[in-house]
Amino acid sequence: MAPNYPYNQLTNYEKTNVTGQGSSDYAIVESYYGKSFVKLLHIARAGKVHTAKEIEVDTRLTLNSTIDYTLGDNRDIVATDSQKNIVYVTAKQYGIKSPEEFALLLCDIFLRKYSHVNAAKVTVTEYPWQRIQMNGRPHNHAFVMVPAAERWTTVQVTRNAKSPVIESGLRNLRVLKTTQSAFVNFVKDEYRTLPDAADRVFSTLVSSSWFYASTSGLDFDKAWETVRDSILEKFAGNPEDGLFSPSVQHTLYEAETLVLNRIPQVDSIVMDLPNKHYVEIDLSKFPKEMVGEGPNNEVLLPLDKPSGFIHARLARNSKAKL
Ligand SMILES: O=c1[nH]c(=O)c2[nH]c(=O)[nH]c2[nH]1
């Protein structure tokens, strides 16, 4: 039933419980709103040495009432335009140390400034500008984009919660190796046409994300680099002989294990590994003088679609049992 008292006399309790002209048969069970794709470049100028950080921010606020949705009453809405302005002003006032610290700071500001905001969730994606090295010397103010992997974080702070939820990640880390990968002894039945491959190309586009259970003693930049390097280490192995992979599944597990071994503050990590297939091109119809004898393992066809998809989350046992 629609309430007939004026909106400006509603208590907070009433605000959360009135149903406007909607039906009390339904309840909003999830709501948030915010600004997406807030882009900015921050330049820290320490004399002649400048540091450039370009980021893209998404903000999401959950309020302690839903009268904006149910009653069309906007009094509690911190406009998404204002949220965007808070991102700009906060960058100006505090700079950007790491995506995680900037996201934590923004969540803190949203919750402190607006007592009716129940939860703030901020995602920060960093553009990979890297200082140019000129004859082995780091340049003071010139940068090159090295898009080997995209770095992002999502921080969620809920009022009265014990600690923030910090998920950090990387995506679009494309890797390829030309040997030390096999795939054999998988299910043999009437659907199987794929032969055993004792030596194949392995290529994937790594996406990974992980949760921090604690931030004590944590350097977010170092932790992110440790995850990236652990993934590359378990994919590539040593530079001379590499590291044998019996499957994408096993390589994924090995990389996740190394991350949990190396970063005690990470309590679980997930990886999504598409298996980007490269298939043999049949050159057998060409004369041997042109293409040689035996199988062609030099000229391969990159297969755009379909690709395999391998996913697993590895968690510490204490958490996995919860
Ligand atoms: O490493 C692999 N895992 C699979 O599950 C799979 N399936 C497939 O066709 N090729 C591969 N490779």
Side-chain angles (χ1 to χ4, degrees):
M1 234 182 21
N4 55 9
Y5 36 74
Y7 298 157
N8 63 8
Q9 287 171 21
L10 294 181
T11 64
N12 269 346
Y13 174 82
E14 286 160 337
K15 283 182 194 174
T16 53
N17 288 280
V18 291
T19 54
Q21 45 191 308
S23 165
S24 56
D25 289 344
Y26 313 130
I28 290 182
V29 292
E30 181 180 78
S31 66
Y32 48 75
Y33 73 105
K35 197 66 115 190
S36 300
F37 315 121
V38 182
K39 290 185 67 169
L40 66 93
L41 171 69
H42 181 269
I43 304 167
R45 298 167 194 273
K48 286 178 75 174
V49 181
H50 298 174
T51 301
K53 297 238 173 174
E54 185 170 342
I55 58 169
E56 195 169 296
V57 181
D58 292 351
T59 63
R60 299 290 181 264
L61 300 184
T62 300
L63 308 184
N64 68 2
S65 81
T66 52
I67 55 168
D68 44 352
Y69 293 87
T70 56
L71 300 179
D73 182 333
N74 293 348
R75 82 183 70 179
D76 286 343
I77 295 179
V78 180
T80 66
D81 191 65
S82 309
Q83 295 180 37
K84 172 206 71 187
N85 291 339
I86 287 171
V87 173
Y88 293 152
V89 171
T90 304
K92 171 78 179 166
Q93 289 178 334
Y94 297 94
I96 295 157
K97 210 167 156 294
S98 67
E100 287 84 356
E101 280 149 302
F102 191 60
L104 280 161
L105 182 59
L106 284 170
C107 287
D108 189 55
I109 288 168
F110 284 127
L111 289 175
R112 275 173 198 268
K113 170 99 183 129
Y114 304 108
S115 60
H116 65 293
V117 170
N118 261 359
K121 187 172 174 176
V122 172
T123 297
V124 177
T125 304
E126 188 174 7
Y127 287 72
W129 287 117
Q130 212 174 71
R131 194 176 293 284
I132 290 176
Q133 301 286 321
M134 203 50 87
N135 304 322
R137 269 191 55 199
H139 200 285
N140 276 346
H141 57 254
F143 303 84
V144 58
M145 191 165 277
V146 186
E150 226 171 77
R151 176 176 172 181
W152 61 271
T153 189
T154 296
V155 171
Q156 176 150 23
V157 180
T158 304
R159 195 175 292 286
N160 301 327
K162 266 205 302 236
S163 48
V165 178
I166 308 173
E167 182 181 20
S168 290
L170 59 82
R171 61 177 157 245
N172 293 335
L173 177 63
R174 184 77 198 263
V175 289
L176 175 143
K177 64 179 184 176
T178 52
T179 188
Q180 287 287 39
S181 164
F183 186 57
V184 300
N185 297 332
F186 49 98
V187 172
K188 209 171 266 171
D189 62 12
E190 64 276 27
Y191 289 109
R192 173 171 167 175
T193 58
L194 189 69
D196 277 354
D199 187 7
R200 64 173 183 172
V201 166
F202 178 4
S203 180
T204 185
L205 189 65
V206 181
S207 291
S208 177
S209 63
W210 52 95
F211 286 99
Y212 291 110
S214 131
T215 54
S216 102
L218 191 66
D219 175 330
F220 287 111
D221 291 344
K222 237 190 221 141
W224 190 87
E225 282 163 16
T226 300
V227 175
R228 182 202 52 203
D229 293 348
S230 301
I231 291 169
L232 292 178
E233 201 173 310
K234 286 300 178 180
F235 175 78
N238 75 65
E240 183 65 21
D241 298 313
L243 179 64
F244 177 71
S245 164
S247 66
V248 177
Q249 282 88 335
H250 187 66
T251 298
L252 177 155
Y253 175 74
E254 289 277 293
E256 291 184 342
T257 300
L258 189 58
V259 170
L260 293 188
N261 286 345
R262 283 181 172 167
I263 314 177
Q265 295 93 340
V266 171
D267 72 350
S268 80
I269 176 166
V270 69
M271 285 173 75
D272 285 340
L273 296 187
N275 190 4
K276 301 294 219 176
H277 303 302
Y278 288 79
V279 296
E280 189 180 328
I281 296 171
D282 180 7
L283 300 180
S284 64
K285 291 193 177 69
F286 295 96
K288 303 242 176 316
E289 311 81 72
M290 287 172 74
V291 296
E293 307 235 18
N296 158 38
N297 59 13
E298 283 100 25
V299 185
L300 305 180
L301 183 69
L303 213 58
D304 191 27
K305 295 172 182 174
S307 55
F309 187 81
I310 318 295
H311 166 104
R313 177 180 294 280
L314 187 69
R316 295 185 192 279
N317 251 329
S318 53
K319 273 269 149 49
K321 280 191 202 121
L322 287 179

